[in-house]
Amino acid sequence: MSASAIPESAGQDPVLFQEIPGRDGRRIGVATLNSPQTLNGLSLPMCRLLDARLRAWAADDGLVAVVLNGAGGKAFCAGGDLHALYRAMLDSPAGDPWANVPAREFFETEYRLDHRIHCYPKPVLCWASGIVMGGGVGLMLGASHRIVTGTTRFAMPEVTIGLYPDVAGTWMLSRLPRGIGTFLAFTGAQLGAGDCLHYGLADRVCDAGGLDALLAALAATDWADDPVRHAAQVDAALDACQAPAPEPGPLQRHADRIRQACGRADFLDIAAAIAAWRDDPDPWLARAAATFLAGSPGSARLSHTLLARARHQSLAETFRMEFTASLHCCAEPDFREGIRALLIDKDKSPRWNPATREQATADWARRFLAPPGPDGQPHPLADLGP
């Protein structure tokens, strides 16, 4: 049975797991995020289930590849469990990053899971159809085969809630052509399949209804005895299911303007250039400027600071930096206020602090890099690698 054939009523487990039989006793593991009512928002239980199963599958010689996808058809994963983080922030002392134990548990578990996918010893295919944002991007980024469709809507919109592009988002955005990653972090602009492929955020494009065909192709593959060849065999299965190349997206069409505006060193210069697009005749650019102007000035400044550092860091170093910054975000007012305005009271009128881009200084942002734990305590993610 294919992953998409699982009825959504098949149990309440937040992640559904299958092992699809292939040739010669080989199997393909399928993990389906199973919270369609929240657009498969990534919760702590989901992270724990996924991490445990990935560890088990990594040690299983008969399991040749893993497929990640989301139930419901609308989203792979629209982000993290913001309601749980909001409750944790309300219950924790303001200004003390280390005191928020639920946030520590969530970010450590999520970042370990994301890092595991980046380093996984077997092919991981991410079926990134529909909405892919925040925590969903974290799951997608490390996959060996990132598959988008005509319905993909990829974004890192954390500026709207007082956070920043975490889950190695700063590592990914800092490696895009100069100015492009900064623009995406500041505006939360949505990308389709064409832009994702062009900028290396995805590897293949398939039809939105093509997951069954892909799983059938994987099941029919005559898997080599040498696991090193399995990634190439996944490529061959995808060749049989690939859709025609999509048209260039708006990020490609406006790349020169974006690089000129955002490929600068000064934060306020970049902010002024984006703000100037609020009345642009192109609706995509105008929407990006409107999102930036309504978003958290502190989030934009923090993104600017972290992207500059992540560009010269390893993946593990970036996860450690983001863990520290995320705990500070949970202790500062903007993240809580952003969730309140968007999801709790839904008034969409956040009161940001700092309130202006001028008040969000470089010194203000550097506070988010200070180790949050007791002096001398090892970083919770110290073992991820160099």
Side-chain angles (χ1 to χ4, degrees):
M1 182 167 68
S2 70
S4 57
I6 301 174
E8 290 177 20
S9 59
Q12 300 302 311
D13 291 339
V15 186
L16 302 178
F17 297 105
Q18 280 183 278
E19 294 184 3
I20 295 177
R23 299 181 64 176
D24 299 324
R26 304 299 180 89
R27 290 164 287 118
I28 297 92
V30 181
T32 304
L33 305 182
N34 187 38
S35 183
Q37 69 278 9
T38 67
L39 298 178
N40 300 316
L42 194 62
S43 66
L44 180 58
M46 293 168 91
C47 290
R48 286 172 171 163
L49 286 168
L50 273 170
D51 194 61
R53 186 57 66 99
L54 286 177
R55 282 188 279 113
W57 279 341
D60 185 340
D61 291 339
L63 199 293
V64 291
V66 174
V67 178
L68 305 177
N69 74 109
K74 294 182 179 180
F76 166 57
C77 174
D81 187 352
L82 297 178
H83 286 88
L85 285 171
Y86 183 77
R87 292 191 297 270
M89 285 186 277
L90 290 180
D91 294 339
S92 300
D96 185 351
W98 196 250
N100 192 332
V101 176
R104 280 163 40 197
E105 292 178 344
F106 176 74
F107 287 120
E108 179 178 353
T109 305
E110 182 186 25
Y111 295 176
R112 284 187 179 278
L113 169 63
D114 293 338
H115 186 267
R116 188 177 308 283
I117 294 171
H118 277 270
C119 304
Y120 207 64
K122 300 179 181 184
V124 177
L125 296 80
C126 181
W127 186 262
S129 191
I131 298 170
V132 186
M133 297 182 182
V137 173
L139 295 176
M140 174 189 179
L141 280 183
S144 61
H145 297 75
R146 302 161 298 173
I147 303 152
V148 290
T149 76
T151 69
T152 295
R153 296 295 176 266
F154 176 106
M156 296 294 281
E158 287 79 5
V159 70
T160 63
I161 57 168
L163 191 60
Y164 68 94
D166 67 327
V167 294
T170 61
W171 184 84
M172 173 266 293
L173 294 175
S174 70
R175 283 157 173 77
L176 294 178
R178 186 168 178 83
I180 298 296
T182 299
F183 170 80
L184 294 176
F186 281 24
T187 67
Q190 293 188 17
L191 308 182
D195 280 329
C196 287
L197 286 169
H198 180 78
Y199 286 99
L201 303 172
D203 305 300
R204 297 293 190 113
V205 60
C206 294
D207 292 328
L211 179 57
D212 284 347
L214 173 59
L215 294 175
L218 293 172
T221 297
D222 186 11
W223 296 97
D225 291 333
D226 182 1
V228 173
R229 295 180 55 193
H230 291 171
Q233 292 184 284
V234 169
D235 286 336
L238 282 164
D239 286 343
C241 306
Q242 187 158 297
E247 294 292 321
L251 187 59
Q252 291 173 257
R253 296 197 300 270
H254 297 298
D256 289 341
R257 293 181 67 186
I258 291 170
R259 281 197 294 266
Q260 184 175 1
C262 302
R264 303 163 180 261
D266 187 79
F267 171 73
L268 292 178
D269 286 349
I270 299 170
I274 295 175
W277 293 333
R278 57 182 171 272
D279 298 318
D280 196 275
D282 184 278
W284 187 79
L285 277 179
R287 187 179 309 115
T291 301
F292 169 68
L293 289 168
S296 162
S299 287
R301 170 61 86 171
L302 183 58
S303 294
H304 185 261
T305 297
L306 298 182
L307 261 66
R309 293 176 65 92
R311 183 181 179 191
H312 304 288
Q313 291 178 331
S314 69
L315 178 65
E317 288 170 335
T318 300
F319 273 122
R320 286 191 282 271
M321 176 186 71
E322 290 185 350
F323 177 86
T324 295
S326 295
L327 288 191
H328 279 286
C329 285
C330 289
E332 295 282 336
D334 268 15
F335 191 23
R336 183 175 64 252
E337 175 65 7
I339 298 174
R340 180 207 64 76
L342 182 67
L343 298 178
I344 307 302
D345 297 335
K346 301 181 180 179
D347 56 32
K348 296 185 178 179
S349 299
R351 296 177 291 275
W352 301 124
N353 181 20
T356 68
R357 295 184 291 277
E358 290 75 15
Q359 292 170 349
T361 64
D363 285 342
W364 175 88
R366 277 192 284 270
R367 298 180 302 116
F368 289 73
L369 300 171
D375 290 343
Q377 179 165 322
H379 194 289
L381 300 178
D383 62 324
L384 287 188

